[in-house]
Amino acid sequence: MTHQSANLWWIASGIVLLAATAGFMFWYFFRKRPTPEELERARRDFLVHSGRIVDGMLLEVCEVEAKDGRILTMIMFNYSIGGVHYECSQDITDMRAIVDATQVNVGFPCSVRYQRGHPQNSIVVAEHWTGIRATLPQFPAFEDPEPLDFDHLRPGRG
């Protein structure tokens, strides 16, 4: 290889490297970034598919004004994991089709999905899952049993 062909290879590789760097910079600055709503939906989907479930309690449903002037509907809940108590809130404004904030029973138990290793990352409602319970659970031990029929034990009966 001659000195002139070695310089040509260095120049060609420099041009290719410069073009690749320019292409990467163009992609990096002009790519479509996810919106905050898309990031929140991805977080909820992640928790629905991989989150653990624990019992919690619904504390409050309130409306809060956001910085941009919108009114956000927030649901507040608490739960305990390993003796540590967590109190969190979730924005349910965009999930009106899934949960009606006026029908949420404050003080009722709920199911909370949380991320293992990061239990503060939690939800009560998602697009395809809800931890909100419509009524208090009924346990079979507390239901009224059917009256017992002892007629067959009486003498003279069949």
Side-chain angles (χ1 to χ4, degrees):
M1 190 185 288
T2 64
H3 182 64
Q4 186 178 9
S5 64
N7 282 339
L8 190 59
W9 277 105
W10 277 104
I11 292 171
S13 63
I15 291 172
V16 168
L17 183 63
L18 186 63
T21 303
F24 175 77
M25 297 284 284
F26 181 80
W27 170 81
Y28 183 77
F29 287 111
F30 294 108
R31 73 181 190 268
K32 181 186 178 299
R33 293 182 179 90
T35 64
E37 291 81 16
E38 291 171 337
L39 291 173
E40 177 63 17
R41 184 177 178 125
R43 182 184 79 88
R44 288 192 305 261
D45 287 342
F46 169 75
L47 289 172
V48 166
H49 289 87
S50 66
R52 292 188 169 196
I53 299 178
V54 68
D55 285 330
M57 182 71 66
L58 295 172
L59 300 177
E60 185 179 1
V61 177
C62 59
E63 292 184 344
V64 179
E65 186 175 348
K67 291 179 182 178
D68 61 359
R70 295 185 311 142
I71 301 296
L72 305 176
T73 304
M74 305 294 284
I75 187 167
M76 298 178 73
F77 55 97
N78 68 3
Y79 55 100
S80 296
I81 301 170
V84 179
H85 301 285
Y86 296 92
E87 190 169 310
C88 299
S89 64
Q90 181 183 355
D91 179 9
I92 59 170
T93 306
D94 297 332
M95 291 188 278
R96 289 189 178 112
I98 298 157
V99 61
D100 182 10
T102 61
Q103 300 298 320
V104 174
N105 296 319
V106 174
F108 268 43
C110 65
S111 297
V112 178
R113 283 195 181 259
Y114 70 95
Q115 181 182 0
R116 183 178 183 198
H118 299 283
Q120 68 277 9
N121 185 10
S122 58
I123 58 169
V124 173
V125 179
E127 283 74 14
H128 303 289
W129 177 84
T130 181
I132 296 176
R133 301 174 189 163
T135 62
L136 289 174
Q138 296 292 320
F139 297 104
F142 299 114
E143 291 179 2
D144 291 333
E146 292 183 26
L148 298 176
D149 182 22
F150 293 108
D151 286 340
H152 68 283
L153 296 176
R154 292 186 186 166
R157 304 232 177 183

